[in-house]
Short mmCIF file of all heavy atoms in Angstrom, two decimals:
data_model
loop_
_atom_site.label_atom_id
_atom_site.label_comp_id
_atom_site.label_asym_id
_atom_site.label_seq_id
_atom_site.Cartn_x
_atom_site.Cartn_y
_atom_site.Cartn_z
N ARG A 19 -71.19 26.05 -20.97
CA ARG A 19 -70.48 25.91 -19.64
C ARG A 19 -70.73 27.21 -18.75
O ARG A 19 -70.83 28.20 -19.42
CB ARG A 19 -69.01 25.81 -19.79
CG ARG A 19 -68.58 24.55 -20.67
CD ARG A 19 -68.79 23.27 -20.02
NE ARG A 19 -68.61 22.08 -20.84
CZ ARG A 19 -67.40 21.54 -20.90
NH1 ARG A 19 -66.34 21.94 -20.09
NH2 ARG A 19 -67.20 20.45 -21.75
N ASP A 24 -60.43 27.12 -18.81
CA ASP A 24 -59.24 27.29 -19.52
C ASP A 24 -58.47 28.53 -18.98
O ASP A 24 -58.95 29.35 -18.22
CB ASP A 24 -59.54 27.74 -20.97
CG ASP A 24 -60.14 26.62 -21.90
OD1 ASP A 24 -60.26 25.45 -21.32
OD2 ASP A 24 -60.39 26.88 -23.00
N ASP A 37 -56.30 23.69 -20.26
CA ASP A 37 -57.71 23.20 -20.31
C ASP A 37 -57.90 22.49 -19.06
O ASP A 37 -57.56 21.30 -19.06
CB ASP A 37 -57.96 22.52 -21.56
CG ASP A 37 -59.40 22.19 -21.70
OD1 ASP A 37 -60.08 22.19 -20.69
OD2 ASP A 37 -59.89 21.83 -22.83
N GLY A 38 -58.45 23.08 -18.03
CA GLY A 38 -58.57 22.28 -16.74
C GLY A 38 -59.82 21.30 -16.82
O GLY A 38 -60.71 21.70 -17.45
N MET A 39 -59.60 20.35 -16.00
CA MET A 39 -60.75 19.40 -15.81
C MET A 39 -60.88 19.00 -14.43
O MET A 39 -59.90 18.80 -13.63
CB MET A 39 -60.59 18.21 -16.74
CG MET A 39 -59.32 17.67 -16.79
SD MET A 39 -58.95 16.78 -18.31
CE MET A 39 -58.51 18.05 -19.43
N THR A 97 -54.58 20.18 -19.13
CA THR A 97 -53.63 20.07 -20.26
C THR A 97 -52.71 21.37 -20.22
O THR A 97 -53.00 22.22 -19.49
CB THR A 97 -54.36 20.14 -21.59
OG1 THR A 97 -54.83 21.56 -21.80
CG2 THR A 97 -55.58 19.23 -21.68
N ASP A 119 -54.43 17.25 -24.73
CA ASP A 119 -55.02 17.39 -26.06
C ASP A 119 -55.20 18.80 -26.55
O ASP A 119 -55.90 19.14 -27.57
CB ASP A 119 -56.30 16.61 -26.28
CG ASP A 119 -57.50 17.10 -25.40
OD1 ASP A 119 -57.28 17.89 -24.50
OD2 ASP A 119 -58.61 16.65 -25.51
N SER A 120 -54.64 19.74 -25.82
CA SER A 120 -54.61 21.11 -26.35
C SER A 120 -53.48 21.13 -27.52
O SER A 120 -52.69 20.22 -27.54
CB SER A 120 -54.33 22.13 -25.36
OG SER A 120 -55.26 22.16 -24.37
N HIS A 161 -62.62 12.81 -26.72
CA HIS A 161 -62.38 13.63 -25.52
C HIS A 161 -61.63 12.89 -24.50
O HIS A 161 -61.35 13.39 -23.42
CB HIS A 161 -63.66 14.17 -24.85
CG HIS A 161 -64.46 15.02 -25.94
ND1 HIS A 161 -63.98 16.22 -26.37
CD2 HIS A 161 -65.68 14.77 -26.44
CE1 HIS A 161 -64.85 16.71 -27.22
NE2 HIS A 161 -65.87 15.92 -27.25
N THR A 192 -57.03 25.43 -26.97
CA THR A 192 -57.77 24.37 -26.34
C THR A 192 -58.72 23.71 -27.20
O THR A 192 -59.04 24.22 -28.32
CB THR A 192 -58.47 24.83 -25.08
OG1 THR A 192 -59.44 25.88 -25.36
CG2 THR A 192 -57.42 25.49 -24.08
N ASP A 193 -59.28 22.49 -26.83
CA ASP A 193 -60.01 21.76 -27.81
C ASP A 193 -61.51 22.39 -28.11
O ASP A 193 -62.11 22.03 -28.93
CB ASP A 193 -60.35 20.26 -27.31
CG ASP A 193 -60.99 20.16 -26.09
OD1 ASP A 193 -61.15 21.22 -25.28
OD2 ASP A 193 -61.52 19.04 -25.75
N GLY A 194 -61.75 23.55 -27.37
CA GLY A 194 -63.09 24.18 -27.68
C GLY A 194 -63.05 24.84 -28.97
O GLY A 194 -64.05 25.07 -29.63
N LEU A 195 -61.72 25.10 -29.57
CA LEU A 195 -61.55 25.64 -30.85
C LEU A 195 -61.82 24.62 -31.88
O LEU A 195 -62.60 24.58 -32.83
CB LEU A 195 -60.22 26.31 -31.04
CG LEU A 195 -59.97 26.91 -32.49
CD1 LEU A 195 -60.86 28.22 -32.75
CD2 LEU A 195 -58.58 27.16 -32.75
N ASN A 197 -62.87 21.51 -31.77
CA ASN A 197 -64.09 20.67 -31.79
C ASN A 197 -65.19 21.47 -32.51
O ASN A 197 -66.14 20.82 -33.09
CB ASN A 197 -64.59 20.31 -30.36
CG ASN A 197 -63.62 19.36 -29.72
OD1 ASN A 197 -63.02 18.60 -30.41
ND2 ASN A 197 -63.69 19.33 -28.28
N ASP A 232 -67.84 24.13 -25.51
CA ASP A 232 -66.92 24.01 -24.49
C ASP A 232 -66.27 25.49 -24.30
O ASP A 232 -66.38 26.32 -25.26
CB ASP A 232 -65.80 23.03 -24.98
CG ASP A 232 -64.82 22.61 -23.87
OD1 ASP A 232 -64.93 23.05 -22.78
OD2 ASP A 232 -63.96 21.83 -24.21
N ASN A 233 -65.33 25.62 -23.29
CA ASN A 233 -64.55 26.81 -23.21
C ASN A 233 -63.60 26.89 -24.36
O ASN A 233 -63.18 25.74 -24.76
CB ASN A 233 -63.77 26.80 -21.93
CG ASN A 233 -64.55 26.57 -20.61
OD1 ASN A 233 -64.04 25.90 -19.73
ND2 ASN A 233 -65.73 27.04 -20.54
N VAL A 234 -63.31 28.03 -24.87
CA VAL A 234 -62.38 28.12 -26.08
C VAL A 234 -61.24 29.20 -25.75
O VAL A 234 -61.69 30.29 -25.30
CB VAL A 234 -63.04 28.26 -27.32
CG1 VAL A 234 -64.10 29.43 -27.32
CG2 VAL A 234 -62.15 28.53 -28.50
MG1 MG B 301 -61.88 21.84 -23.41
#
Side-chain angles (χ1 to χ4, degrees):
R19 304 290 176 92
D24 289 355
D37 183 344
M39 48 206 82
T97 70
D119 67 349
S120 296
H161 299 299
T192 58
D193 65 344
L195 178 76
N197 287 337
D232 193 4
N233 308 144
V234 49

